[in-house]
Each structure stands twice: as C-alpha cells, then as structure tokens.
Amino acid sequence: MKQFSSRFSMGVHILTLIAVMPGDCTGDMIAGSVNTNPVVIRRIMAQLKKAGLINVRPGVGGATLLKDPASISLLEVYNAVEVIDEGPLFHFHPNPSPRCPVGRTIEASLTAELTEAQAAMEQRLSSVSIAKILGQVC
C-alpha cells in the first residue's frame, strides 16, 4: 500500500520541538531528534517557513514559531509540507473500459465516497493543534 510521505510527521515533530525550545533549535539539532539527515530537515523547515509557520535566523540558526502553538493546526502542517499534490487525495486510473459495466461507472460510483473520506481526514487534522501534540509529548 502506498503511504503518505513522512514529511508530515516530521513537520509536526519540528514544530513541536521548536515550541519546546524556541530559538535554540537548529537544523542539525532537529535532525538529531528526528534521526534523519539535516538536509531533509532543512527542506521541511523551508516549507514551514514559506507557509508562515516558523522563522529561521540566518547564519547562526535557531528557529521560532511565528504563531501560537494553539493556532497551528495539523492541517496547516499537512498543507505546508505538500504531502500530496494539490487537488484530490485519491486519483482514478485513466481510461477504464467503457464496454465494462464497472469500468464505465467506477469513477462516478467512488467520487462522492472518496471526497467525503478526504474531507473527514482534513476536518480531523484541522481540529488538532500543535499545542495539543505538545501537551501529549511533554
């Protein structure tokens, strides 16, 4: 089964760590906590910065949150780190056979169900904040 990228969980990890230690978190330090290559962390931090969630001091390093942890939803993180391309989470295979009764109706049959599934996931992510995660790890 294909999985979402781990960028989302790493993005949440990064924001939670910055909330715990504001101003002290460098890419190398965060990479040690996540246990991954600092280049991966710097790329995700660039996405979080672009989304307006963190500020990174150039040169000496050290990141801070630009918003209160209670106002950063997991959906913002999910969207910031580009877990999926824009648009629907689920895609359909192109060109099913119009001669097959399933092939000619599968997209129409599944679209509403998959749209609701994506909306439910996004609703859940929007209801959870970095502050909640922070309360669970500290």
Side-chain angles (χ1 to χ4, degrees):
M1 172 184 261
K2 191 171 182 175
Q3 299 177 330
F4 290 141
S5 161
S6 60
R7 287 190 308 264
F8 172 66
S9 62
M10 284 194 266
V12 172
H13 187 142
I14 290 166
L15 292 172
T16 305
L17 190 58
I18 292 171
V20 172
M21 306 169 64
D24 294 332
C25 292
T26 64
D28 288 343
M29 184 265 231
I30 295 169
S33 177
V34 175
N35 197 23
T36 192
N37 189 306
V39 172
V40 173
I41 296 302
R42 283 193 277 276
R43 285 186 189 141
I44 295 171
M45 289 177 74
Q47 292 175 309
L48 296 171
K49 182 178 178 180
K50 183 178 175 185
L53 299 175
I54 64 171
N55 184 43
V56 180
R57 289 185 300 173
V60 295
T64 54
L65 297 180
L66 291 176
K67 298 170 71 175
D68 186 276
S71 67
I72 302 173
S73 73
L74 296 188
L75 183 59
E76 285 180 272
V77 181
Y78 176 83
N79 289 330
V81 298
E82 301 169 352
V83 174
I84 60 169
D85 294 333
E86 288 196 24
L89 181 61
F90 300 99
H91 296 276
F92 290 93
H93 51 291
N95 307 316
S97 173
R99 293 178 296 178
C100 171
V102 174
R104 72 174 163 255
T105 60
I106 191 68
E107 186 171 344
S109 300
L110 266 178
T111 296
E113 299 300 330
L114 298 179
T115 300
E116 286 184 34
Q118 183 173 348
M121 180 196 74
E122 291 176 357
Q123 173 61 34
R124 177 67 182 156
L125 291 178
S126 70
S127 71
V128 179
S129 69
I130 291 297
K132 180 176 182 181
I133 303 301
L134 183 61
Q136 294 172 349
V137 299
C138 293

